[in-house]
Amino acid sequence: MSDRGEDAVDWKEPARRLAAEVAPPASRWRSAVEHTKRHLFVPRWWTATPEGWKLRIGEDDPEKWQRAAYRDRTLVTRVGDVHADHATPGVCLSQGSPTSSSTHPSLLVKMYRHASIDNRSTVLDVGTGTGYGTALLCYRLGHHRVTAIDVDPYLTGAAEQRLDERGWRPRLLTADATGPIDWEGDRIVATVAVRPIPASWLAALQPGGRLVTTVTGTSLIIVADKQPDGGAAGVVDHSRAGFMRTRTGPDYPAQNRTALERARAEEGEQVESSQYPVMDVVNAWDVSSMLDIIAPGIEHRYITYDDTPDRVALMAHEDGSWCRAEETGGKVTIHQGGPRRLHSYLDQVREHWLQRGELPIRGAAVTITPDGVITLKRGNWTATIVR
């Protein structure tokens, strides 16, 4: 790794503007963002284009590097098992999902503020990634109070070197964060999504310690405090976040695309009209989250066409269930096949929202058992999240 970008990028004023954007004036995180050289933690990154994932190299264009690093945006650094640091210049990956990134600075600050971190806190940073978030913690607390963990030895090694070059030497663990953890402290902040909550996190938290994480498949931020019984209790915050789910290897397991391909092309075993318009579920965050609570694991695709209002939404599940919702000329037709009717789950969510004016997930009370089972409750609505 090279540190030639130290003088290549004029970073001080962009970092100051970024800090003013992502942290309130009185926030102690503003100074951390203002004085941390984010570009040095992301010397290369991937950009999504219509042709695929294109490699960007900061030193090739310092002005573009500055603009990318000091905007409040996530920079993808790993696609599948290919890290940008190891990719050949000029390469474009035609497929693959992000497996590591440098998170939006505003989202990092939000998660840290939810954790109520003070000067005496000892923090476990779950999902080291580039090490930028770890650097903010080190600036705020001192490196002796910070531990970071990631499953990928390259990520922890690269982060350790870049942090060391800045004078910070937090403890870096290379391990599956959902398994046993060699750490004890009073704050856990995860920038990866989990489901259920790892029992090892609850065991590692000191009494009264706080956990802040998101639930895989949802945009729910859980803020919960350790209880005397070894579990935790808290609330689903009203804000939203989306993080990559944890992984145990270099890439996520390959998915069976058979049901998705059937959804694209086949006539349904059941065909009917719908009173609801076709929805881009993934970008309707509350609908998507509620749907994944009652029917986890559904994959979505949303298709639009140039110069026409027509659109198509696909739903598929690894159990072989599938659905295609087609909207043509204002008429919506639903095709479904496989063992379950996936569209009925989506209708349940929409009907709940129409009847009550909102979905119950935001502000729900949270209880977590010592083995990580999550229960959400708001009013008469209750949901248990096991996997």
Side-chain angles (χ1 to χ4, degrees):
M1 290 173 292
S2 168
D3 203 26
R4 287 176 291 169
E6 187 82 39
D7 300 316
V9 171
D10 181 9
W11 64 277
K12 290 185 178 180
E13 180 58 24
R16 187 196 64 78
R17 291 195 300 266
L18 176 64
E21 179 182 353
V22 305
S27 171
R28 295 183 179 182
W29 297 105
R30 179 178 280 209
S31 181
V33 175
E34 181 176 350
H35 293 95
T36 301
K37 302 175 183 179
R38 189 185 185 210
H39 69 284
L40 296 183
F41 290 90
V42 194
R44 293 181 171 207
W45 66 98
W46 296 103
T47 300
T49 72
E51 295 77 33
W53 292 98
K54 287 191 175 180
L55 179 66
R56 307 301 186 194
I57 301 175
E59 291 175 348
D60 289 349
D61 190 336
E63 289 187 7
K64 184 176 291 185
W65 192 7
Q66 178 204 74
R67 290 195 300 271
Y70 296 99
R71 285 176 58 194
D72 185 28
R73 56 177 273 190
T74 289
L75 296 176
V76 174
T77 52
R78 200 170 187 272
V79 175
D81 60 357
V82 183
H83 198 288
D85 289 352
H86 304 145
T88 303
V91 72
C92 180
L93 302 179
S94 60
Q95 58 186 2
S97 298
T99 49
S100 189
S101 67
S102 178
T103 299
H104 286 79
S106 63
L107 185 50
L108 290 172
V109 169
K110 179 193 296 184
M111 298 292 280
Y112 298 155
R113 293 182 72 195
H114 285 325
S116 296
I117 294 170
D118 61 33
N119 291 339
R120 297 167 296 175
S121 297
T122 52
V123 181
L124 179 66
D125 176 21
V126 181
T128 310
T130 64
Y132 173 71
T134 310
L136 297 181
L137 289 166
C138 288
Y139 184 95
R140 171 77 172 77
L141 298 172
H143 55 239
H144 60 290
R145 293 186 175 273
V146 179
T147 299
I149 185 170
D150 205 294
V151 71
D152 190 319
Y154 175 72
L155 295 180
T156 53
E160 183 173 36
Q161 180 173 332
R162 288 166 180 157
L163 288 161
D164 184 74
E165 288 169 355
R166 314 275 85 73
W168 294 316
R169 297 172 183 84
R171 187 175 177 220
L172 275 294
L173 303 177
T174 303
D176 177 1
T178 64
I181 299 174
D182 181 20
W183 175 86
E184 288 185 359
D186 56 16
R187 296 292 187 273
I188 296 177
V189 181
T191 52
V192 290
V194 292
R195 185 177 188 154
I197 304 297
S200 59
W201 295 9
L202 296 163
L205 268 181
Q206 295 173 346
R210 174 162 290 189
L211 163 69
V212 182
T213 188
T214 53
V215 178
T216 300
T218 78
S219 59
L220 305 185
I221 301 175
I222 287 180
V223 181
D225 297 329
K226 179 78 171 280
Q227 301 297 300
D229 68 355
V235 68
V236 175
D237 191 73
H238 283 275
S239 60
R240 302 164 175 82
F243 289 112
M244 301 172 198
R245 68 186 189 275
T246 54
R247 54 186 171 86
T248 57
D251 197 356
Y252 298 116
Q255 293 181 295
N256 186 340
R257 302 291 185 186
T258 301
L260 187 62
E261 293 309 312
R262 292 186 67 191
R264 291 182 188 277
E266 292 189 12
E267 289 295 308
E269 299 165 10
Q270 177 179 319
V271 182
E272 57 189 355
S273 60
S274 175
Q275 61 180 318
Y276 298 120
V278 168
M279 174 181 284
D280 181 5
V281 173
V282 171
N283 286 309
W285 284 31
D286 282 11
V287 171
S288 177
S289 296
M290 184 83 167
L291 178 60
D292 206 80
I293 289 171
I294 65 174
I298 298 174
E299 186 176 2
H300 300 271
R301 293 289 187 277
Y302 182 71
I303 305 165
T304 58
Y305 301 94
D306 293 338
D307 304 320
T308 173
D310 297 349
R311 47 195 176 162
V312 173
L314 308 177
M315 303 169 69
H317 194 276
E318 61 182 7
D319 69 3
S321 303
W322 61 269
C323 168
R324 181 175 69 256
E326 300 174 329
E327 185 169 343
T328 305
K331 180 181 178 181
V332 178
T333 304
I334 309 298
H335 294 256
Q336 300 194 82
R340 293 188 294 165
R341 298 295 177 252
L342 300 183
H343 204 265
S344 66
Y345 296 113
L346 179 58
D347 283 346
Q348 287 179 36
V349 174
R350 291 200 274 203
E351 287 165 7
H352 189 114
W353 177 76
L354 288 170
Q355 291 170 3
R356 296 165 177 82
E358 65 174 346
L359 295 173
I361 50 178
R362 306 291 165 193
V366 176
T367 56
I368 307 169
T369 64
D371 58 354
V373 176
I374 307 164
T375 298
L376 309 180
K377 183 175 177 58
R378 184 176 172 192
N380 294 327
W381 176 81
T382 301
T384 299
I385 304 173
V386 180
R387 66 173 184 83

